[in-house]
Amino acid sequence: MADRPPTQLRLLLVEDSEDDALLLRRLLHRGGYTLSTFERVDTPEAMRAALADQTWDIVITDYSMPRFDGMTALAIFKESGQDIPFFVVSGIIGEDVAVAAMKAGAHDYIMKGNLNRLLPAIQRELEEHRVRHARREAEDQLRKLSLAVEQSPNAIFITNLQGEIEYINPRFTETTGYTKAETLGRTPRLLQSGLTPPATYESLRQQLEAGHEWRGELLNRRKSGETYWSSITIAPIKNAAGVTTHYVAIEEDITERKLAEEALRDSEARFRQLVEHAADALFVVDPHGRVVNVNQQTCTSLGYTREELMGMAIADIDVEFRPQPDFETWFERNLDQTGTISGRHQRKDGTTFPVEVRMGYFDMGGRKYILALARDMTERELMQAELERYAGQLANLVDERTRQLSRTMEQLQAILNNSSDAIALARPNGDIIAANPAFERLFDFRVQTAIEQILDVIPEPQHLEKASHALFDVLEHGRGARVEVSLVRSDSRSIDVDIALTPVKTQTGALDGIVLSLRDITHLKEIDRFKTRFVANAAHDLANPIANLKLQIYALRASPARLEYHLTALEAQTRRLENLVNDLRMLSQLDRGAVQFHMESLDLGALIEEVVVTHAAQAESKQQTVHLNVADHLPLILGDRSKLERVIANLFANAVNYTPIGGAIDVDVDRDEDQVRLTVSDTGIGIEAADQPRIFERFYRSDGAKLSGVEGTGLGLSIVKEIVDTHNGRVTVESTPGQGSTFSVYLPCAQAR
């Protein structure tokens, strides 16, 4: 009632008698009350509706009515939760009933024969209601103030007149790092960094001693030693007599703001550029609703030029924006407010699209303007429609998940079916219950019913014994086992396999099945065998020159007079040994990728001429004829000069060594499409057809080469192939025994690369 004259009254009357209601209204009128709102009800439903629809100052109810009674009305009133005076008026109420009504929550009861008590009772209860309301508001205000201090985003502390801190809020600890235990009883000097000018503190002291508030900025130090800027307000707290009893300080950490202000100055140009190229449309609107500035995105989204948009009414752009009663009034009413609204913008071609507009106000030249950012929400509408569509599909997800699980099982089956490993699943007793196609192809029904049948296809006794022990371990003890054996395939071919027997156990540890897996490791065994042969051949080729060296040393000691002869023999054996070591070192480096290839543009014809001329003396010593044919205008190749010299020298030297006295050697260089081809042909002993596929293997020498008497390591051609392969080329051989051999090297042209 604080917002209306005291004589006005809003009355809800629960009464079935119109006459009694009229009598009550006259009584209130004579008592100086004007009923600004009045309603009479006589049913529970009508009373509930009235309490819900209107605000009342008092409720008066008759105790006894044909369809209603005062105690029920009191119960309905208490359900509504309203805190206003409630009076019971009756002509027949007894004292015990009246006491019960008061205990139930009625503020007073009045006998109809003594209605003169009603007016002072109303005045009394209204005054008590006002006092209760004011007290609650004061308590609420105090609670809010206390919460505001505790939850304040600013650090707050209170000191006594001696400067000793008596209170800090949680934000103080967050800002400074000092806990309440570390702060209470100490002075704010614990925050001083020594970097704030003394004049600032002197100004602070003078203002506070004069009883005034002080505002300023201090460079303080946290507990961690880190400095920070604070904007601080310190004000005296005075008692009712106006005497200062304490000081309250409100401190805001403005370190980031200080940095931001500096950064803001540096980034204004970048910001303007960002706004101009922002993905959202930007409008600046004057107080009359006219566009005064836009960014490029606005022009793009609406299809207007910037000049066409200048001065256009915002209502002509947003077809759903209709400010009431007019834009100027709406502008003043919403001044300095920010918010987001939804709208629909209209393009120049008449089409529309949904937007979300964020609006704010700013000052420019002493005048207020609206800054609006409009985001095209077409995608969100489409997403909303898509979400609704998805919602309709939720019922199908369970079925889809079931299908996915089924597909997963099918995929697992496909993996097993397409695995190159032979896999079978057996029961704990060894009976096979499932096998993949690779298993069936490997054994062709020879191992069909039980995993023990695998023993039938292992021919070697030693391997058979290993496999038997492994089967016993898994079948009898449930222990996994792995062995490598040789077995005979269904096509009668012998292969090396790695057999893995893996027990499948239940959660209790009981054997539930056995997985038998066989992997063909024949190629790995071949590699091991090749390594063994490699070591044997290397040892053999090293042993021969070493034995010869020993023999020559013995002969030298026996006949020192033939020193020159023995030294010449020793040098020959040393060169052979050195060549072997160099070849081995080269192959090792090629295998490890440690050989550096220095690629450059080369004229292969010129390079071949140099190498042939250098080694021509070998052919001349055997009276061999050398023909060198280099085609004109050959393209350049990209290669390593020294490595290619070695390739040419090796092929030329082999042609000389394996061609008899008086034979012929042809060296040709020409172009073959996008490659340059080097061909070295001789009229030598030739190579058997069976030896040609292995001629480039390491340490391999054909029987003809061994019988020729020409010494060699069997590594030269393998090095040739490694070098040519590294140049992305290829080397081939064609040979007829007794007629000669032709080696061809193909290297890509530089432009082809």
Side-chain angles (χ1 to χ4, degrees), residues 223-240:
K223 180 182 177 181
S224 64
E226 175 191 7
T227 59
Y228 68 100
W229 279 101
S230 69
S231 174
I232 188 165
T233 299
I234 304 176
I237 301 175
K238 300 180 180 181
N239 59 19

Side-chain angles (χ1 to χ4, degrees), residues 103-276:
K103 288 183 177 180
H107 291 84
D108 207 344
Y109 68 91
I110 308 296
M111 301 298 293
K112 287 186 178 180
N114 191 18
L115 286 178
N116 290 332
R117 283 191 60 244
L118 182 61
L119 293 176
I122 290 174
Q123 184 176 0
R124 181 191 72 242
E125 290 301 328
L126 287 176
E127 177 62 21
E128 290 184 0
H129 172 264
R130 184 190 66 76
V131 172
R132 286 198 307 274
H133 183 71
R135 184 169 58 250
R136 277 199 304 271
E137 285 190 342
E139 291 172 352
D140 288 345
Q141 191 70 18
L142 183 60
R143 185 176 65 257
K144 292 176 183 177
L145 181 60
S146 176
L147 286 174
V149 171
E150 282 292 307
Q151 301 175 7
S152 172
N154 295 327
I156 299 175
F157 62 92
I158 298 174
T159 72
N160 56 26
L161 296 180
Q162 288 73 41
E164 296 169 342
I165 298 174
E166 295 184 351
Y167 168 82
I168 63 170
N169 70 343
R171 187 63 177 180
F172 180 91
T173 298
E174 294 176 16
T175 300
T176 67
Y178 289 102
T179 64
K180 185 176 293 187
E182 295 170 325
T183 306
L184 297 186
R186 301 180 67 180
T187 68
R189 291 190 184 89
L190 84 163
L191 301 178
Q192 291 183 5
S193 65
L195 301 175
T196 301
T200 303
Y201 292 114
E202 180 61 24
S203 170
L204 183 156
R205 184 185 63 79
Q206 291 177 0
Q207 286 291 101
L208 294 183
E209 287 180 354
H212 302 315
E213 178 184 286
W214 182 85
R215 295 174 183 268
E217 295 180 355
L218 302 176
L219 183 56
N220 284 339
R221 190 181 302 278
R222 307 184 207 275
K223 180 182 177 181
S224 64
E226 175 191 7
T227 59
Y228 68 100
W229 279 101
S230 69
S231 174
I232 188 165
T233 299
I234 304 176
I237 301 175
K238 300 180 180 181
N239 59 19
V243 177
T244 299
T245 60
H246 292 80
Y247 295 102
V248 59
I250 303 174
E251 181 184 49
E252 178 186 2
D253 187 342
I254 61 170
T255 305
E256 292 186 3
R257 190 183 76 190
K258 285 277 194 179
L259 296 174
E261 288 173 353
E262 182 178 353
L264 183 61
R265 289 190 295 270
D266 295 339
S267 64
E268 281 183 350
R270 292 195 299 272
F271 177 74
R272 285 194 295 270
Q273 190 74 4
L274 178 64
V275 167
E276 187 61 27

Side-chain angles (χ1 to χ4, degrees), residues 461-482:
Q462 185 179 2
H463 289 180
L464 182 62
E465 183 179 0
K466 289 197 298 182
S468 299
H469 285 309
L471 281 171
F472 180 80
D473 280 344
V474 72
L475 290 173
E476 296 298 323
H477 304 296
R479 293 195 296 262
R482 193 167 200 145

Side-chain angles (χ1 to χ4, degrees), residues 389-403:
R389 186 175 69 83
Y390 286 153
Q393 297 175 348
L394 285 177
N396 299 324
L397 288 180
V398 174
D399 292 339
E400 177 62 24
R401 181 57 178 161
T402 302
R403 288 192 292 271

Side-chain angles (χ1 to χ4, degrees), residues 6-8 27-34 119:
T7 55
Q8 290 188 354
L27 176 64
L28 292 172
H29 181 70
R30 288 197 302 271
Y33 290 100
T34 299
L119 293 176

